[in-house]
Amino acid sequence: MRIDLHTHSAVSDGTQAVPDLVRAARMAGLDAIALTDHDTMAGIDQAQEAGGLIGLEVLRGVEISTHVETGGRHRPVHLLGYGCSPADPVLEAMLAKVRTARRERVPLMVEKLAGLGLPLELAEVQAQAARATSIGRPHVADAMVARGYVADRDEAFRTYLHDGGPAYVERYTPTVAEAVDLVNQARGVAVLAHPWGRGNEAFMTRELIADLARRHGLFGLEADHVDHSEPDRRRLHALADELGLVATGSSDHHGAGKTKNPLGACLTDPAVYGKIKEEIDRRGGQL
Ligand code: AMP
Ligand code: ZN
Ligand code: FE
Ligand code: FE
C-alpha cells in the first residue's frame, strides 16, 4: 500500500481543485492520502467522495499554523492533525481565528510590496485564491508571478515573503503546545510537520519535541519529507523511536505550486498508517 499523508488542494494553497488532486493521487499510484490543507478541513468531504469513486482512501487531515517563541521571536511550526472531529467547536473556533488573521494580513503585505515598488491590487491576490477557504502567502506570490515581478513562488518567497522578509507580515497563531492539546481534545492525533525543514532544528529542539510528546501527547513526527536531508530523516526516525512516537512520510504536494514535492515523493509505512487510524478510532475521532 502506497500512502502519502500530507497534501494540499486549492482549498488552501495547492493549485489543484479537490477532485483533480484525488485523481492525480490515484494516477501517481497511491492507495491512500491525507488531505491536509492549511487551517481548514473544508475540502475533506469532497475529497472522500471523489476518492470513494476511484478507490483512493482519503484520511481527514489539517495542517495547523502554530508557533514556538524563542528569544522573544515567534518561529512558525506546522502541526498535522489527523482524524479531528469536524464538529469540535473549540478546534473550529481556533482554525477560524487563524483564517481571519490570514485574510487580514493580505492588505498589509500588499502595502509593504507597494512600498518596495511592486504595486498589486488586492483583487489580484483574491483572484489567485478564488477557490480557497484559507488564503496565504503563496497566493500573494502567484499574483506577483502574474505581474511578472518574479518567475515563480520560490523566487517570491526567497526575495520578499519568507519569514522576516521585506514583505512579511506576522499573524495570529496558537502555540504548538496549544494546538496539540486542541487536536487531542477534538479526538484526533497530532504529528509535527517537517520538524527540521528549512533549518528549523535550531528552535525545534529534541527537548521541545520530547516535552510535546511527554506533556502534551504528540503522536508522531513527519520524518520523511523532501525538506529533510537523509541524515536528518534517520535522526528523526531514531528520535521518534526513542520517544515512542510514530514516524510518517509524505510529499507536502501543492500541485504546480511546489515543483520539488510530487505526490508520493515520500511515503508512510502501512503499519504506521494503521496505528494512526486505530488511535483515531479509539479516541472517537472521525476518519
Ligand atoms: P502562509 O500559510 O501564508 O504562512 O504560507 C505558508 C506556505 O508557504 C506553505 O505552503 C509553505 O510551504 C510555503 N512557504 C513558506 N516558506 C517558504 C519558502 N521560504 N519558500 C517557498 N515556500 C514557502
Ligand atoms: Zn501550503
Ligand atoms: Fe508545512
Ligand atoms: Fe504543507
Side-chain angles (χ1 to χ4, degrees):
M1 210 182 170
R2 287 165 53 83
I3 303 149
D4 180 345
L5 292 187
H6 185 164
T7 68
H8 295 268
S9 76
V11 167
S12 65
D13 56 6
T15 58
Q16 292 157 302
V18 167
D20 295 337
L21 169 70
V22 167
R23 274 193 293 272
R26 197 74 190 99
M27 294 287 288
L30 292 168
D31 302 292
I33 63 167
L35 178 63
T36 53
D37 276 310
H38 296 281
D39 307 306
T40 178
M41 292 192 272
I44 303 294
D45 291 348
Q46 196 188 7
Q48 291 182 332
E49 206 171 296
L53 297 175
I54 56 171
L56 181 89
E57 215 170 289
V58 179
L59 176 65
R60 172 176 297 277
V62 60
E63 184 173 22
I64 307 174
S65 308
T66 79
H67 72 270
V68 295
E69 194 171 330
T70 43
R73 237 184 107 191
H74 282 195
R75 309 299 303 263
V77 174
H78 287 173
L79 183 73
L80 297 161
Y82 296 118
C84 296
S85 165
D88 184 84
V90 187
L91 177 64
E92 182 43 37
M94 186 272 283
L95 294 177
K97 192 170 162 187
V98 175
R99 292 193 299 266
T100 301
R102 283 175 165 284
R103 271 193 301 280
E104 290 176 350
R105 150 172 94 146
V106 174
L108 303 176
M109 287 193 286
V110 165
E111 220 171 277
K112 281 199 166 181
L113 284 167
L116 295 164
L118 303 170
L120 281 179
E121 297 293 329
L122 209 46
E124 293 171 62
V125 179
Q126 269 146 9
Q128 297 295 338
R131 290 171 295 188
T133 307
S134 209
I135 195 167
R137 281 177 285 170
H139 301 113
V140 177
D142 290 346
M144 294 171 73
V145 174
R147 278 268 193 161
Y149 294 155
V150 289
D152 51 28
R153 279 186 181 182
D154 271 347
E155 187 185 342
F157 270 92
R158 205 166 50 242
T159 319
Y160 302 105
L161 300 173
H162 59 271
D163 303 315
Y168 178 71
V169 175
E170 181 150 342
R171 67 194 155 102
Y172 161 78
T173 53
T175 67
V176 65
E178 283 170 344
V180 171
D181 290 347
L182 281 179
V183 166
N184 288 336
Q185 184 234 289
R187 302 167 185 275
V189 304
V191 173
L192 271 183
H194 44 72
W196 290 348
R198 299 204 171 103
N200 287 0
E201 188 179 353
F203 59 88
M204 192 41 80
T205 58
R206 299 168 57 92
E207 292 68 37
L208 177 61
I209 295 172
D211 182 71
L212 290 171
R214 298 203 180 103
R215 293 184 39 226
H216 295 276
L218 179 72
F219 196 74
L221 303 178
E222 187 178 59
D224 295 309
H225 186 284
V226 295
D227 288 351
H228 293 152
S229 68
E230 285 296 338
D232 281 352
R233 294 181 198 190
R234 285 194 292 274
R235 291 169 61 227
L236 282 162
H237 275 277
L239 181 59
D241 283 349
E242 184 186 321
L243 296 173
L245 303 175
V246 298
T248 64
S250 42
S251 65
D252 205 352
H253 177 75
H254 281 70
K258 275 190 184 176
T259 50
K260 284 173 296 195
N261 305 60
L263 284 160
C266 297
L267 298 171
T268 293
D269 188 305
V272 167
Y273 182 51
K275 265 193 194 174
I276 289 173
K277 289 201 295 184
E278 254 168 50
E279 184 64 15
I280 293 167
D281 242 4
R282 198 183 67 76
R283 294 180 182 189
Q286 189 168 325
L287 290 173

